[in-house]
Amino acid sequence: MEYSDIASVAGKGGLFKIVKPTRTGVILESLDDKKQKLVASATQRISVLSDISIYTTDQEGSRPLEDVFRQINKEFNGDLGVTPTSEPDELKAFIKHIIPDYDPQRVYVSDIKKVINWYNALKQNAPELLEEKPEEKEEKKEKPAKGTKKEKPE
């Protein structure tokens, strides 16, 4: 499973696995143990996790949610010390610890609560997504294009 396979639906709590597209929308399945199916129409706001990022004040302007989740897992390994019901100041301190240059003007407490909820959901149902990516070693050894021959050294 990849971050591009998981979505959030506005007005619906939790995260959903994208099962398959339909003519009028997409079929989703909840990530929790209930595995409820939902047909989301094109009129509903669906956000794929791979497309979500957190605003920052650095040159790039944002940080992908995937990187944020991996950083949280690396720093806290599942024991966050905060919950979505924690005080707003605690939540802001938590996100500042993870992303020191986050933009407090554009990242709301409700956004931080979603990050915590989604992290917990992924930790329970798709922990492999939170692991550090193995460093991509060397690009695959360059292969000659089809139809070309390698030159032999003389």
Side-chain angles (χ1 to χ4, degrees):
M1 191 177 323
E2 298 288 324
Y3 281 91
S4 58
D5 298 333
I6 301 174
S8 168
V9 179
K12 304 279 184 195
L15 293 174
F16 297 86
K17 179 182 176 192
I18 299 170
V19 178
K20 67 179 181 179
T22 66
R23 284 184 299 149
T24 59
V26 65
I27 298 174
L28 303 171
E29 180 181 81
S30 65
L31 268 188
D32 59 13
D33 295 336
K34 297 176 187 173
K35 301 291 185 202
Q36 293 177 322
K37 297 226 179 192
L38 164 75
V39 178
S41 68
T43 59
Q44 290 178 295
R45 272 197 359 240
I46 301 170
S47 302
V48 179
L49 290 192
S50 62
D51 295 341
I52 299 173
S53 55
I54 304 289
Y55 290 116
T56 60
T57 56
D58 64 2
Q59 283 227 295
E60 292 181 22
S62 66
R63 189 150 167 222
L65 193 59
E66 179 177 346
D67 294 349
V68 173
F69 284 151
R70 288 198 172 111
Q71 181 69 28
I72 291 171
N73 197 52
K74 182 179 170 186
E75 293 275 330
F76 297 99
N77 198 21
D79 184 18
L80 305 181
V82 294
T83 64
T85 57
S86 296
E87 292 296 316
D89 290 338
E90 290 179 48
L91 295 171
K92 289 177 185 178
F94 168 77
I95 202 73
K96 184 141 184 84
H97 178 75
I98 300 300
I99 311 170
D101 56 353
Y102 90 100
D103 188 346
Q105 300 296 320
R106 299 192 296 174
V107 178
Y108 303 108
V109 172
S110 60
D111 299 329
I112 301 169
K113 289 178 180 182
K114 282 182 195 173
V115 167
I116 293 169
N117 277 330
W118 292 349
Y119 172 82
N120 289 332
L122 289 176
K123 186 73 176 170
Q124 281 186 327
N125 302 297
E128 69 278 3
L129 292 177
L130 302 173
E131 299 299 319
E132 286 289 324
K133 281 184 181 176
E135 292 289 321
E136 292 196 2
K137 296 178 181 172
E138 194 177 312
E139 287 290 322
K140 290 181 181 177
K141 295 194 178 193
E142 292 182 32
K143 296 178 182 175
K146 287 186 177 180
T148 61
K149 295 181 182 177
K150 281 188 176 180
E151 293 183 28
K152 293 183 181 179
E154 293 180 26

